[in-house]
Amino acid sequence: MIRFFSSVTALALTASPIMAQEIVVTVTGAEGSAGTIGCRLFAGPRNFPNGRATAGEQSAARGPDGEACRFKNLAPGTYALVVAALPEGQEEVTRDILGRPKQPWGVSNNVRPAMRAPRFQEAAFQVTAGRVTRLTIKLSR
């Protein structure tokens, strides 16, 4: 009987939402943009910021409270996030001749270097075990 109780308790603890690492992303600056918000999560500098995400991608309508993306069941560690307002039916950011995004965009830590793309280390943040990480990303052109 004790063995069964211990197994059930262990199962309940691992499934508990308080134990899951989660990132909740809210955006500002996309109020006038039609379409969806695209979020790409990176677990390291590979592909950041213009390539395919290494830890997850989402595209969704922005919620009334500004919530755009929610990444669940993540391992604790260092991540960086790229967010963009995407026109209806589009999955990629359109770029000008210099490679700058035409749509409103932003990265975690709201880093915006003037003459180059943000680096992973500048946008990096920590996801801690048992905590929900809440980020607010300001989108602009």
Side-chain angles (χ1 to χ4, degrees), residues 41-133:
L41 186 63
F42 296 83
R46 187 177 58 127
N47 298 339
F48 184 86
N50 298 325
R52 285 284 172 205
T54 58
E57 293 188 23
Q58 293 182 12
S59 182
R62 191 165 108 12
D65 59 354
E67 185 177 315
C69 303
R70 188 177 286 253
F71 295 92
K72 297 180 179 184
N73 301 319
L74 297 168
T78 303
Y79 295 88
L81 185 72
V82 176
V83 181
L86 301 172
E88 196 65 44
Q90 193 170 319
E91 293 182 13
E92 296 288 330
V93 170
T94 307
R95 298 185 183 282
D96 67 15
I97 195 156
L98 298 175
R100 296 178 300 212
K102 290 183 177 180
Q103 291 84 23
W105 64 276
V107 299
S108 42
N109 296 333
N110 292 308
V111 177
R112 279 193 98 77
M115 301 300 284
R116 61 173 171 77
R119 294 185 178 113
F120 178 83
Q121 295 80 1
E122 296 169 320
F125 61 92
Q126 293 295 312
V127 171
T128 307
R131 296 218 173 153
V132 174
T133 302

Side-chain angles (χ1 to χ4, degrees), residues 15-57:
S16 171
I18 210 162
M19 298 297 285
Q21 286 67 242
E22 182 174 13
I23 299 171
V24 177
V25 182
T26 302
V27 296
T28 63
E31 290 75 14
S33 301
T36 60
I37 302 295
C39 299
R40 289 184 174 171
L41 186 63
F42 296 83
R46 187 177 58 127
N47 298 339
F48 184 86
N50 298 325
R52 285 284 172 205
T54 58
E57 293 188 23

